[in-house]
Amino acid sequence: CAQSLPPAAGGEPTLRLLSEPQYRAVIADLFGTQISIGGTFDPLVRTNGLLTVGAAKAHVSPAGIEQFDRMARSIAAQVMAADSREIFMPCLPRSETAADEDCARRFFATVGRMLYRRDLDAAEVQQAAALASAASSRLGDFHAGIEAGLAAMLVSPSFLFITDRTEPDPQHPGKLRLDGYSRASRLSFFLWGSAPDDALLVAAKQGELQESGGIRRQVERMLASPRLSAGMRAFFTDMLAFEDIDRLEKDSIIYPTFSSAIAQDAREQTLRTLTSLLLDEQADYRDIFTTRRTFMSGNLGRIYRVPVDRPDGGWMPYEFPEGDLRAGLITQVSFAALYAHPGRSSPTLRGRAMRELLLCQKIPDPPGNVDFSLFNDPKAPNRTARQRLSVHATQASCAGCHKLTDPIGLALERIDGAGQLRTAENDIPIDTRGDLDGVKFDDAAGLGRAMRENPAAPACVVNRLYAYGTSRAPLKSEKPLLEYFTGEFADSGYRVPKLLREIATSDALFAIKTPAVQSAAVQSPVAAAPGDPS
C-alpha cells in the first residue's frame, strides 16, 4: 500500500513582497521582454536559504517606495509609447486628446486583473479610470492619462505584495482556506516564478482550484508549459544565491581574463545545464554533481580553455572528456568564482556554500575575536591554502566549523578564484584529497561523486522546493511531510518534474493555519490607496 501524505498545519496567511526576479518576470510576461526596468530593489533577508522566504518579512523603505514609483512611471511610459500602445489597448478612444472613461475602464479591468492576479471589483476599476480621465483632461492626451493610471497600479500593494486571501472552508467549519486566486498565485510563482496566466485565473474564478482534480489538471498543463523552464531557473538562482553574481568582482591584475560578461555567462551556463539535465532529459537530480555535459559560450571558452565553434560567440553543447577535473555544478565557473575572494580562492567559502546551499546544513558565522594573523604568517608567505587552513585545528573556536567546510573546499583548490584550472599554488603541487562525511575522495570529481551519494543532497532540494512553494520555512511538525516527499522523490528516480507534481498537487502546498484572532484585513507594510482592499 502506498504511504499516505502526512498532514500539514500550514502557516498563517501572510503578505509577501514580490522579489526582484518575480517583479521582472511579471512585467516581462505581461508587457514583453523589451520593457526596460531600471532602478534598484531593497535587499531581502535570506531565510531558510531563500530570498523568496525572506520576502514574507520584508518592509519597503521610503527610498524603496521612491524606486518603485520611478520604475512604475518608466514602465508605464514604455507600455504607452506610440509604437507599442496598440498592442495593449483593448479599444480605441473617442479622441486622442480627451478622456474616454469607458475605454479606460476596459483597459484597467484587463491589465489590472493580470497585475493584481485576481478580478478587480467595480470600485477599483472606476478609481483607476477616474484617475486616468483626470490626467487625460489635464494633459490633453488620452494615452498620457492611461499611463498615469497604469503607473498608479504598479505601485499598489495589490501588485507589489502577494497576498494570502482566505475564505471560510466549507469542509471544515470554523477554519479558513486560501481562496482560488491565492491558490493560483501559489501555483504560478512556485512552478513558473511569475504571475498566473489567463487560464489559471479562469480556473480560480470558477472554483476549480478548490478541487484536487482541478488542481491536477492545471499542474499538468503548467508542467508541460515552456514557462516551467523559466520557473526552475528562478528557483535555482535563489537556491544557489546567484543574484550575487551581478555584484561579483575580481582583481583585474590577478585575473585579467575575468569580466562581468564572463560572470553573466557563467550563471547562464549553470542554469542552462540544470534545466537541460533536469527538465529536458528528466535525469536523476543527483547527476548535477557529476555530469560532464554542459554548454559553452565564446566568453567562457577563454576561462575553460576550450575551443568554441561559434563565430557569433553564442552557445553550443559541450561535454568535458572522461577523466577531466570538470564534472558537476561545483566545478563550474559560476560556483567556483562566486564562492571565492576577489584575488584568491577560498576553500572555506566553497565548503560552506556546499554545506549550506546544497546539503542544507547550517554553518555558524565565525566568532568576532578570531586572530587572523595566525593564518598569514609573514615568515612563511608561500604556503598553500591547505597549510594555512591547518591552523584552524589549533583554534578551539574555529575547529568545529572548519572541520565541516575545509576538507571539501580544499578539493576545489585546483580551480582558482576566477574558475580557471591550475596544478600548483606558489609552485607547490596542490593536494585535493579529503572526505565528505566519511566518504574519501582524491579530487573535485571524486567530491562530486560523494555529493551525489550523500542522502542530504536530495533531502535538501526537497526542503528548498517546499519552502519556495509555500514561501515559508518548513515547520518542525512538517518533518514527516518532508520525509514523505523525499521518499517519493527517491522512488521516482530523483526526477524533479515528478517532485514538482507531488508538491504542487498536495494539500500541503495550500495549507493555511487559521489565526487565533482573525482581523478584518491584513495590514500591508505599504499604505493602501483609497479603495484598495489590501
Side-chain angles (χ1 to χ4, degrees), residues 16-29:
R16 299 177 299 282
L17 182 67
L18 285 175
S19 67
E20 181 176 349
Q22 290 171 339
Y23 184 104
R24 293 182 181 277
V26 172
I27 296 301
D29 288 343

Side-chain angles (χ1 to χ4, degrees), residues 121 228 260 288 456:
D121 60 37
L228 180 65
S260 60
I288 70 170

Side-chain angles (χ1 to χ4, degrees), residues 24-37 78 88:
R24 293 182 181 277
V26 172
I27 296 301
D29 288 343
L30 183 53
F31 299 122
T33 56
Q34 79 283 356
I35 298 295
S36 174
I37 303 175
Q78 294 174 71
F88 306 107

